[in-house]
């Protein structure tokens, strides 16, 4: 990269709503490490977003520590990138309130995640769940992110972030950078092992449907072996007619770097048993280093908290600068 040019900025967050899955890893986390080599990256544990669904306090605390340890375990260089916890930087909530007042009820009503989640949690359709994308817009806009690595499912939230930013800039001048989504091609959509029409999700009640990043090698192989395929017994990429096999092929491609043609060749005269075993082994290999590092870090609460503090300080410096600018534009009195 040209040394004269300032590096482009990237921000992404993940909710601490459970142990991340292979879907989260291949669709998001794995790319975060690579991206951080070329961009000014900030990554956060979105614990404010997490309470849009009811959380048990003890579990939430545990999951925040685990998700943070997981981000450190990815091997991102903490000298170059910022890794922090959203609730440690109050500017996120402050900007979210302001942006709420520049967001229309009608446009928020169209968000598909809200529709999905409110039907899943019909007993708790809270206002936070509704305005979730505004908090996400605040996360992104505070750091003036040029790019936001997200899975394909978050694309609509990125679009509304752009709309809110453009609207605000239209009124007050050039305050916010308009962010672009950054959706990796490989791994963008990893499907459930039990129902390949559905995405792999960490909150799925059937544990056989996902690989958790902390699953032991034996468990990974076992879950792969019980993955739903079809009766054709031919390893061929065809998402429409062979969603199960295609999903396993895309997992294998992500872990080995092989193309679909190369994979089809490798398993030309082999059955699904061999294929699933190989996919399982490739996943075990792919996760080995991250798991080792996670297991080391999670025991060291003192170190994790030191890193959190350092991350929060760095993030606050950037976030406060943007928030002050916004407040000045809106007409608040600075003291
Ligand atoms: P939940 O089950 O709590 O809704 P989730 O596992 O679906 O969570 P999120 O926390 O919503 O995942 O997403 C974290 C990141 O991982 C996002 O960038 C998202 O797009 C990506 N991601 C989630 N599931 C998948 C998947 N199955 N394939 C690829 N990427 C995914
Ligand atoms: N909504 C996202 C998590 C998230 C996020 C963000 C992603 C919260 N704030 C800012 C990118 C940028 C999710 O559930 N995957």
């Amino acid at each position: 990269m040209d040394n004269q040019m300032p590096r482009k900025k990237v921000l992404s967050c993940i909710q601490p709503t459970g142990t991340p899955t292979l879907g989260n890893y291949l669709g998001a986390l794995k790319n975060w490490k690579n991206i951080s080599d070329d961009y000014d990256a900030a990554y956060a544990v979105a614990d404010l977003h997490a309470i849009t669904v009811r959380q048990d306090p003890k579990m939430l605390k545990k999951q925040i520590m685990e998700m943070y340890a997981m981000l450190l375990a990815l091997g991102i260089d903490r000298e170059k990138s910022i890794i922090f916890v959203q609730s440690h930087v109050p500017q996120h909530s402050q900007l979210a309130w302001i942006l709420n007042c520049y967001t229309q009820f009608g446009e928020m009503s169209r968000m598909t995640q809200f529709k999905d989640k409110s039907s899943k949690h019909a007993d708790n359709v809270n206002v936070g769940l509704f305005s979730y994308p505004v908090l996400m817009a605040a996360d992104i806009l505070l750091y003036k992110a040029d790019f936001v690595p997200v899975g394909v499912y978050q694309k609509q939230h990125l679009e509304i972030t752009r709309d809110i930013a453009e609207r605000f800039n239209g009124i007050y001048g050039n305050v916010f950078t308009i962010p672009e989504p950054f959706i990796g091609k490989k791994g963008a959509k990893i499907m459930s092992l039990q129902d390949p029409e559905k995405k792999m999700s960490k909150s799925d009640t059937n544990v056989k449907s996902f690989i958790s990043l902390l699953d032991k090698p034996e468990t990974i192989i076992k879950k792969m072996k019980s993955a739903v395929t079809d009766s054709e017994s031919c390893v061929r990429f065809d998402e429409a007619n062979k969603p199960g096999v295609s999903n396993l092929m895309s997992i294998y491609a992500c872990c080995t770097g092989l193309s679909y043609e190369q994979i089809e060749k490798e398993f030309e005269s082999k059955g699904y048993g061999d294929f699933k075993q190989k996919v399982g082994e490739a996943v075990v290999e792919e996760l080995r280093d991250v798991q080792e590092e996670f297991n080391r870090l999670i025991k060291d609460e003192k170190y994790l908290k030191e890193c959190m503090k350092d991350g929060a300080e760095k993030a606050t410096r950037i976030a406060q600068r943007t928030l002050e600018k916004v407040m000045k534009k809106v007409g608040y009195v600075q003291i």
Side-chain angles (χ1 to χ4, degrees):
M1 190 173 274
D2 188 347
N3 283 335
Q4 305 303 308
M5 296 281 283
R7 299 211 308 172
K8 294 270 187 192
K9 296 187 181 63
V10 155
L11 173 120
S12 200
C13 308
I14 186 161
Q15 295 191 70
T17 43
T19 310
T21 67
L22 187 65
N24 300 133
Y25 181 73
L26 297 178
L29 299 176
K30 184 179 173 176
N31 300 329
W32 289 12
K33 157 109 175 69
N34 301 335
I35 289 168
S36 68
D37 295 335
D38 296 327
Y39 295 87
D40 269 346
Y43 297 123
V45 176
D47 57 348
L48 297 174
H49 280 101
I51 64 163
T52 54
V53 171
R54 189 74 68 237
Q55 302 289 340
D56 171 75
K58 271 207 190 104
M59 281 300 286
L60 180 62
K61 196 178 264 175
K62 180 169 175 277
Q63 288 174 357
I64 294 167
M65 295 304 285
E66 282 185 0
M67 189 56 87
Y68 192 81
M70 187 59 81
L71 296 191
L72 293 188
L74 297 173
I76 294 165
D77 181 348
R78 279 203 310 115
E79 291 302 313
K80 287 199 260 159
S81 309
I82 307 175
I83 305 179
F84 67 103
V85 176
Q86 187 187 30
S87 67
H88 293 161
V89 183
Q91 286 79 1
H92 289 246
S93 312
Q94 290 173 278
L95 182 62
W97 174 257
I98 296 177
L99 297 182
N100 266 320
C101 304
Y102 295 81
T103 307
Q104 298 304 305
F105 184 86
E107 60 188 342
M108 294 294 281
S109 310
R110 290 194 287 274
M111 296 291 109
T112 52
Q113 181 178 292
F114 172 70
K115 290 185 206 163
D116 284 357
K117 294 220 168 171
S118 52
S119 65
K120 264 197 212 154
H121 305 276
D123 56 337
N124 183 23
V125 184
N126 62 76
V127 178
L129 191 63
F130 185 70
S131 70
Y132 177 116
V134 180
L135 178 58
M136 184 161 158
D139 299 337
I140 296 166
L141 299 177
L142 277 174
Y143 299 88
K144 299 197 183 313
D146 297 285
F147 298 107
V148 182
V150 281
V152 64
Y153 303 100
Q154 293 294 321
K155 217 172 148 219
Q156 200 185 24
H157 290 165
L158 241 290
E159 278 156 16
I160 202 157
T161 301
R162 291 167 59 90
D163 291 344
I164 297 170
E166 277 166 1
R167 185 172 305 142
F168 196 92
N169 284 355
I171 306 171
Y172 299 106
N174 226 357
V175 179
F176 293 129
T177 303
I178 309 298
E180 303 271 351
F182 199 96
I183 299 175
K185 273 199 205 82
K186 277 192 183 168
K189 241 176 160 180
I190 301 296
M191 310 312 279
S192 154
L193 298 179
Q194 292 301 314
D195 176 1
E197 308 283 342
K198 246 176 47 185
K199 73 163 186 159
M200 183 181 283
S201 176
K202 55 178 138 53
S203 56
D204 201 312
T205 45
N206 181 357
V207 295
K208 279 163 93 184
S209 73
F210 58 82
I211 306 265
S212 147
L213 285 201
L214 301 182
D215 277 346
K216 294 202 161 54
E218 318 73 273
T219 314
I220 295 177
I221 305 272
K222 220 164 119 193
K223 285 186 180 175
M224 278 300 172
K225 291 241 156 152
S226 69
V228 168
T229 46
D230 52 61
S231 54
E232 192 194 17
S233 209
C234 166
V235 176
R236 180 166 57 81
F237 193 82
D238 177 353
E239 274 180 317
N241 300 305
K242 296 167 73 67
V245 169
S246 303
N247 187 38
L248 295 184
M249 284 180 75
S250 85
I251 293 174
Y252 195 60
C254 285
C255 296
T256 58
L258 294 172
S259 68
Y260 293 139
E261 295 75 44
Q262 288 170 313
I263 299 171
E264 284 170 3
K265 231 192 180 123
E266 182 179 347
F267 296 100
E268 214 162 28
S269 52
K270 301 204 175 101
Y272 287 164
D274 283 345
F275 173 53
K276 288 174 169 182
Q277 174 74 28
K278 273 291 179 57
V279 180
E281 286 169 8
V283 172
V284 169
E285 205 45 53
E286 174 73 33
L287 299 183
R288 191 184 306 281
D289 291 351
V290 183
Q291 291 193 333
E292 252 177 47
E293 188 60 2
F294 174 89
N295 288 328
R296 191 178 71 78
L297 288 166
I298 199 65
K299 294 187 200 112
D300 197 346
E301 190 175 317
K302 186 163 167 272
Y303 176 71
L304 288 176
K305 287 199 171 163
E306 273 167 24
C307 294
M308 282 180 177
K309 197 157 177 257
D310 176 62
E313 278 165 9
K314 288 182 185 155
T316 301
R317 270 200 290 279
I318 300 172
Q320 183 55 22
R321 231 178 290 146
T322 310
L323 182 69
E324 269 173 26
K325 192 168 174 191
V326 168
M327 292 181 76
K328 208 164 151 187
K329 292 279 185 189
V330 171
Y332 288 117
V333 177
Q334 317 261 304
I335 49 171

